[in-house]
Amino acid sequence: MLTELYWPPMDFQEINLIDQLQRALAEAQYVEPTPIQVHAIPPALEGRDILGCAQTGTGKTAAFALPILNALGQKNRKAVPFLPKALVLAPTRELVIQIGKSFDTYGTNLFLRHTLIYGGVSDLRQIKAMKRGAHIVIATPGRLIDLLQQKALRLDELQYFVL
């Protein structure tokens, strides 16, 4: 069993990402992708399903966020109320917040909305955000179920799912 796959040295400029993402990565001083990013991003850009495993701090968020932002950023359609195109499910609100910050960084030059959905706070702002429309929802399971039961969120048009 291979514990580490070989990858040739490369930089983000060699990955086929839209200009807005390339600019955001340059502004954030991302130069060289990590192994998980090298192995996950190109097949994800081709529309393939990805199953990845890597240690904390190795760039997993960018490995799934960049292909999602790339696909949605190419279309740049208006967000539809209550119907996100992408769902990222995370186990804790701290992780939801952390992933949201990464989407802020990478998507800074895109006209895409994302909203964070997690418990421990009033759901009114989250419901209002869904009514306004969000392309991407980053959520904890419990609050996601709550909003689904309240019909404040539907998954009918979901194209991307990250667990």
Side-chain angles (χ1 to χ4, degrees), residues 80-95:
V80 179
F82 309 109
L83 292 169
K85 299 293 182 198
L87 171 63
V88 178
L89 201 56
T92 66
R93 72 174 161 185
E94 292 79 15
L95 190 53

Side-chain angles (χ1 to χ4, degrees), residues 33-93:
T34 65
I36 188 75
Q37 294 163 353
V38 169
H39 290 290
I41 294 172
L45 291 172
E46 294 172 2
R48 294 174 43 201
D49 292 339
I50 303 299
L51 176 61
C53 181
Q55 290 183 328
T56 300
T58 58
K60 292 182 296 293
T61 302
F64 66 77
L66 292 173
I68 291 170
L69 290 168
N70 194 76
L72 295 176
Q74 287 177 0
K75 297 175 183 146
N76 231 359
R77 295 189 179 124
K78 186 178 178 191
V80 179
F82 309 109
L83 292 169
K85 299 293 182 198
L87 171 63
V88 178
L89 201 56
T92 66
R93 72 174 161 185

Side-chain angles (χ1 to χ4, degrees), residues 24-25 27-28 30 69 100-109 114:
L25 291 171
E27 291 165 7
Y30 281 52
L69 290 168
K101 288 178 184 175
S102 294
F103 271 88
D104 284 336
T105 299
Y106 311 140
T108 191
N109 301 314
H114 68 271

Side-chain angles (χ1 to χ4, degrees), residues 2 31 67 81 90 112 137:
L2 292 175
V31 178
L112 297 174
V137 168

Side-chain angles (χ1 to χ4, degrees), residues 7-19 21-23 25 30-46 62-63 66-67 70 74:
W7 87 97
M10 67 180 342
D11 63 34
F12 276 105
Q13 292 295 322
E14 296 176 67
I15 298 176
N16 189 26
L17 297 169
I18 58 177
D19 291 341
L21 288 177
Q22 292 288 0
R23 265 197 333 270
L25 291 171
Y30 281 52
V31 178
E32 189 175 299
T34 65
I36 188 75
Q37 294 163 353
V38 169
H39 290 290
I41 294 172
L45 291 172
E46 294 172 2
L66 292 173
N70 194 76
Q74 287 177 0

